[in-house]
Amino acid sequence: MVEQCCLQTLQQVAGEEYHIRSKVALCVVASSHKKDAQQQLDFVLFSKKTSKATCVIQLQSVIKQDESAVDTALAKAGIRLYRLPRKSSYSISSIRQLLDSYLEKPAATPDEMIATISTKAFRQCKKCKSLMELKRASAGPHTGMLFWVCAEYPECASVELYTE
Ligand SMILES: [Zn+2]
């Protein structure tokens, strides 16, 4: 029950960017000594982008047990570990607060990147002195690369490779 409740809350906070799995053996996400390999992790967040485990949430157990092996293995694997008190309900805001510093912002889409770059940089066409626009090649051998394209294109065919 407690797990279900916590899982639902986690889904709402992080479900868009992460696959959240519960009851995952330690050895699935981090290398560990044999005796700890089957130790269970309550919740593991797997990034949807990389499918890598990036964060573990453990509910504090009623019975005190030695979990230092988990700490060590996760720290070595570069996976962040959070411990939550075992409660009958979890508020979305408290979980969000806990994970806020951790959750990545979704990666900027190409359009957003162009918008961001464009506000910071502008360039004048060497041929006709018009302003140039930053565009991303969507086909051909340069797909994905950014180019300055003259605003007067196609009248002016001036194109330059964008460099940082
Ligand atoms: Zn031009």
Side-chain angles (χ1 to χ4, degrees):
M1 266 307 287
V2 174
E3 275 85 358
Q4 271 304 318
C5 174
C6 189
L7 179 61
Q8 273 173 17
T9 314
L10 279 171
Q11 294 277 20
Q12 288 184 51
V13 173
E16 270 181 38
E17 292 158 54
Y18 297 89
H19 290 295
I20 300 154
R21 285 170 55 194
S22 57
K23 299 293 168 203
V24 179
L26 179 60
C27 61
V28 173
V29 298
S31 59
S32 63
H33 298 294
K34 262 192 189 135
K35 71 178 176 73
D36 309 311
Q38 293 309 314
Q39 194 147 350
Q40 289 216 317
L41 304 170
D42 288 320
F43 304 102
V44 181
L45 271 62
F46 291 88
S47 163
K48 283 186 179 175
K49 267 180 283 174
T50 61
S51 0
K52 280 195 185 129
T54 55
C55 176
V56 168
I57 293 152
Q58 287 288 75
L59 296 178
Q60 273 154 11
S61 42
V62 190
I63 318 147
K64 256 208 169 235
Q65 52 181 15
D66 181 22
E67 292 201 328
S68 56
V70 172
D71 293 45
T72 316
L74 292 179
K76 262 191 209 161
I79 296 170
R80 200 179 285 214
L81 170 67
Y82 292 102
R83 291 190 193 283
L84 276 182
R86 204 166 266 272
K87 290 196 289 190
S88 55
S89 75
Y90 294 91
S91 80
I92 290 179
S93 63
S94 68
I95 299 252
R96 184 162 297 173
Q97 246 176 18
L98 177 81
L99 295 181
D100 231 19
S101 59
Y102 161 73
L103 292 175
E104 303 167 28
K105 288 191 178 138
T109 65
D111 282 346
E112 284 168 347
M113 261 185 70
I114 291 173
T116 315
I117 298 165
S118 304
T119 55
K120 285 188 205 145
F122 62 91
R123 193 178 186 89
Q124 213 172 21
C125 174
K126 281 179 192 150
K127 286 188 194 158
C128 71
K129 306 292 176 206
S130 298
L131 280 180
M132 302 188 86
E133 293 167 359
L134 208 46
K135 298 201 170 170
R136 187 177 294 272
S138 58
H142 302 296
T143 300
M145 289 169 77
L146 285 167
F147 291 91
W148 290 106
V149 179
C150 180
E152 299 304 315
Y153 182 88
E155 280 73 34
C156 170
S158 182
V159 173
E160 290 170 52
L161 183 63
Y162 171 82
T163 47
E164 299 271 345

